[in-house]
Structure formats: structure tokens, C-alpha cells
Amino acid sequence: MRDTRLPAKRGACALILCGLAAAPAASGQSSGGGSVYVATPKVSKVTCLRKCASRDRARGGSVLKVLGTELGGVNAVTYLGSYGSGDDTTVKVRAGGERRLNARVPIGAVTGPIALATSSGARSAPTKPVLILPPLPPEPNPELSPVPGPGVTGAPRLETGTSRTKAFVGARPGVTFSFRLSGASAAALKLELVSATDGVAVKTWTPQQVAPHQVQSISWDGRLGRMAAKPGRYSFRLTAATADGAEARNSQAGDVGRDSFDLYDNIFPVRGPHDFGGEGAKFGSGRAGHSHQGHDVFARCGTRMVAARGGRVKFKQYHAAAGHYIVIDGDGTDVDYAYMHLDQPSPFDEGDRVYSGQTIGAVGDSGNADGCHLHFELWSAPGWYDGGKPFDPLPSLTAWDSWS
Ligand SMILES: [Zn+2]
């Protein structure tokens, strides 16, 4: 099915306090001889109420105040994020009044419109983008440290550590969880990766038993099989049980943040000072004979450039206008990523696999470029000059820039 929420249709919105896209009004539907009234929620204003990043900006963990009409039956709010449904997150909300409700911003939510749904299936139009900054980072625990708390009599003592608090889908190395047991030996070990957004374990490992005091590690690259996991906060949850059933866990009540990290779906490709240019840098701005199909990110020539998202290299060529360029089919996405005007040919060739965050070249001005910059394009499926369409990459670039 075609995704109708392409970011190209959205205006960039610097503030959370935005005008709203036109929403369909409540409609009367003819049904036999009578008429069934379907109350369609309509949003007029969204503001950040509590735990906000600033007055106008929310972050994962904030509470939004939503004003509108026909809100009485609303029981869920979906944060639509950027392109595609991969980053959508839905939270339940308690029924409130007809004109107001409060909605929690899930840890994994990113900047984008929100939409309300009622228990009877009516859905509001998507709002204009709500600016959502990344959540405050989890407490780092990069070295093995003893699990706090009294522990259970007869259970092993645990030390755990998690290599990073920020991880990217498809990056190498991924995030590594390490642990060491002492005291009693464990008959059964279980490691779960739990999403903080909904408390669901998305992946489970059953590590082999090892001798006490030996360190064991497990790494994860943000993928579940061939699919990318949803962005958001995740926690490693280790349970070690003895044959008698005495259990030790790395997370005690009141320490929910231990061994947690935030997973992001993309990394900002220009790894140095940069700016997003003026009017001419924008997607859709006028060019001789066509309109601009990407967004220009200005940086000094030679600034390191990385793959925003890993994947397979589709094209690596030189073109009179684009200069040295490379196109990567984003792993686990239906999006192609194009990087142009590189100062040298990328070291990668067509068919190569690239990891997220891996260096693919440097900013340059090869081809027809006015100043050193990355001309960056995002294309929908089926791909770059292969039946897909370019869409405005600026909302994505801005979001990636805010966390990486
Ligand atoms: Zn350009």
C-alpha cells in the first residue's frame, strides 16, 4: 500500500505550536434508512505540558496537551515520526473531556505529526509536525559494575555493563552487554532485550553457562532478523537462576534505567560543522530545467561523510552535474540514500555492504557544485531513478542532526 504520509507534504515547523492540517469534520453516514453519526476527533492545538525540553519542545517522556473537538472517545495517540511507518509509536490515552486530553510522549517518538484514534476506529487527520527532541540519555554503565540492592539469598551475584547509551540500527560495532557471575552458579541464564516504550521483550538470548568470574558478552546491531527494530529505549534484562530456583536479576525495582540505551534509525551524515543553507538549498527550489531533488548541507571540503543508514551500494559513479556520488539502498528500509559532490570517489563500490555510520567519503565540490556541500537525496521505493520519487530530506536530516 502506498504510504500517503510522505514528508514532502509537510511544512517544516520550528515550534511545537503549529497550525494544523485540515481535518475532516464529523460526518453523517447514510446507513439504510437512518444515519449513523461518526464522531471524528479534530485537533486544533498541541502544546508541551510537563517534562518538556523547553516551552515549545517536547522530548521522549514529556506529556502533551492536545486541544480540539470530539476528543471524548479518543483512546490512542500515534506519533507518526518521519518517512514510513517504521518509526510510528502508539500510546494509549485515558478518555478525557471532549475538548482536551493529555498524551505521554513515548521514549522512542521522533519529530512528526500525531494522529488520534477513537475506540470505534475514527481517526483524526495527522497534525503538522510536533517537535520532539531525543529523551535524556540513560545512565551509562560501560564497565562491569555490581548490581545494586540486597539480592536474593542463595542466588548468584551479578555484575553487568552495557557498552553504549546510544546505538544505531545497522552500525558496527553494535551495543554490547557484558556480565559476570560469582557466588552460586547459575543453572539457567536468560537475557531479554526489553523495549521501554511498551515493556515488551523483543529479543531473548539463552547464554551458555560459564565458569564463575568469567566475563560473557552479547552484542546487538539493532536488527530483529532482517527487520530493523523500532527506534526507542531498550534495556538488557538478565536473569540467572540456580538449580534451587534462587534468581538474580540485573534490574531491581527502582532501577529501571540500568543497562539501557537508545536506538536510533539513522546517523547524521556530515561529521563536522555544517549548516542547512538558504532558500536555494531546499528541496524543490528552482534549478535550470528542473527542481532541486535533494537538500544541500554545507560544510568544509574534506569533512568526513558517513552512511546515514547502512545498506547495499547501488551506484558509485561520476556525473558532470552530481560529481562523485554514491547511492545506498538503506538496509531494512524502502528508501534509497544518495550522496553527491564527494571530493573523491567513495572507497565503496556497487554491490558493497556499508554499515550505518561507516565513512563513505568526504564533503567536496566535484561536478557542478557552488561551494563545498553534500547534496543529499532520499527516494521512496522502488528506488533512485527506478520508479521511486525523491522526497524532502530536510525533516529527516534535522531529526538525525538532533541526536547524532
Ligand atoms: Zn543540491
Side-chain angles (χ1 to χ4, degrees):
M1 219 175 88
R2 189 173 177 278
D3 191 319
T4 54
R5 292 184 295 95
L6 292 178
K9 294 183 178 172
R10 297 178 201 147
C13 190
L15 298 175
I16 196 171
L17 303 159
C18 287
L20 274 297
S27 56
Q29 287 180 352
S30 182
S31 162
S35 158
V36 178
Y37 180 75
V38 179
T40 303
K42 186 176 175 181
V43 180
S44 58
K45 193 175 176 185
V46 181
T47 54
C48 191
L49 184 65
R50 285 199 296 275
K51 298 185 182 171
C52 306
S54 69
R55 223 179 64 183
D56 302 325
R57 298 183 297 177
R59 69 179 351 142
S62 297
V63 176
L64 300 181
K65 180 170 87 174
V66 181
L67 301 179
T69 53
E70 306 279 13
L71 304 184
V74 171
N75 71 346
V77 175
T78 299
Y79 294 77
L80 298 166
S82 56
Y83 176 81
S85 58
D87 58 0
D88 290 4
T89 50
T90 298
V91 292
K92 295 277 175 215
V93 295
R94 271 204 303 273
E98 288 299 319
R99 307 187 70 85
R100 171 181 173 167
L101 61 86
N102 292 349
R104 189 172 56 83
V105 181
I107 289 289
V110 297
T111 294
I114 65 171
L116 314 183
T118 69
S119 47
S120 57
R123 212 174 148 86
S124 76
T127 65
K128 282 194 175 174
V130 172
L131 192 68
I132 302 173
L133 298 189
L136 294 171
E139 196 70 29
N141 183 26
E143 307 288 342
L144 282 183
S145 68
V147 170
V152 173
T153 309
R157 284 189 301 279
L158 289 181
E159 293 167 85
T160 63
T162 297
S163 62
R164 56 185 70 235
T165 56
K166 193 182 274 188
F168 296 92
V169 172
R172 296 284 173 95
V175 56
T176 301
F177 175 76
S178 302
F179 64 96
R180 178 160 58 190
L181 276 63
S182 55
S185 59
L189 288 169
K190 183 168 79 167
L191 178 62
E192 289 180 308
L193 185 67
V194 175
S195 161
T197 304
D198 51 17
V200 171
V202 298
K203 194 171 171 65
T204 303
W205 295 265
T206 46
Q208 301 294 307
Q209 267 96 164
V210 291
H213 307 292
Q214 227 177 310
V215 177
Q216 218 176 334
S217 294
I218 283 170
S219 287
W220 186 57
D221 68 355
R223 287 190 289 187
L224 301 171
R226 298 185 61 184
M227 306 284 288
K230 283 198 173 197
R233 182 158 300 173
Y234 291 87
S235 306
F236 287 110
R237 291 293 167 250
L238 177 69
T239 309
T242 63
D244 299 340
E247 272 188 1
R249 298 167 183 275
N250 69 323
S251 167
Q252 314 290 349
D255 188 19
V256 291
R258 187 179 172 88
D259 292 316
S260 297
F261 62 94
D262 290 329
L263 180 71
Y264 294 95
D265 53 1
N266 288 274
I267 184 166
F268 190 74
V270 175
R271 306 312 296 168
H274 57 270
D275 68 76
F276 291 108
E279 284 301 311
K282 290 180 178 170
F283 179 84
S285 66
R287 292 288 190 273
H290 68 287
S291 74
H292 196 217
Q293 299 199 119
H295 191 98
D296 295 335
V297 180
F298 291 85
R300 289 173 65 146
C301 269
T303 304
R304 193 166 71 96
M305 191 188 295
V306 303
R309 177 73 169 239
R312 193 72 67 180
V313 177
K314 275 181 128 169
F315 303 98
K316 197 277 288 273
Q317 285 170 16
Y318 183 87
H319 181 275
H324 296 293
Y325 73 92
I326 184 166
V327 180
I328 298 173
D329 180 4
D331 215 2
T333 74
D334 55 0
V335 179
D336 281 354
Y337 296 64
Y339 308 79
M340 299 181 184
H341 308 309
L342 277 60
D343 71 342
Q344 302 280 327
S346 172
F348 290 97
D349 279 317
E350 290 168 15
D352 284 351
R353 162 159 293 286
V354 178
Y355 298 112
S356 302
Q358 211 170 4
T359 301
I360 54 170
V363 173
D365 58 359
S366 61
N368 183 15
D370 203 4
C372 302
H373 71 278
L374 163 63
H375 169 99
F376 182 69
E377 296 181 4
L378 291 175
W379 284 64
S380 62
W384 195 72
Y385 289 103
D386 192 20
K389 281 194 168 63
F391 58 89
D392 184 3
L394 185 58
S396 301
L397 286 168
T398 308
W400 306 344
D401 197 20
S402 75
W403 64 60
S404 59

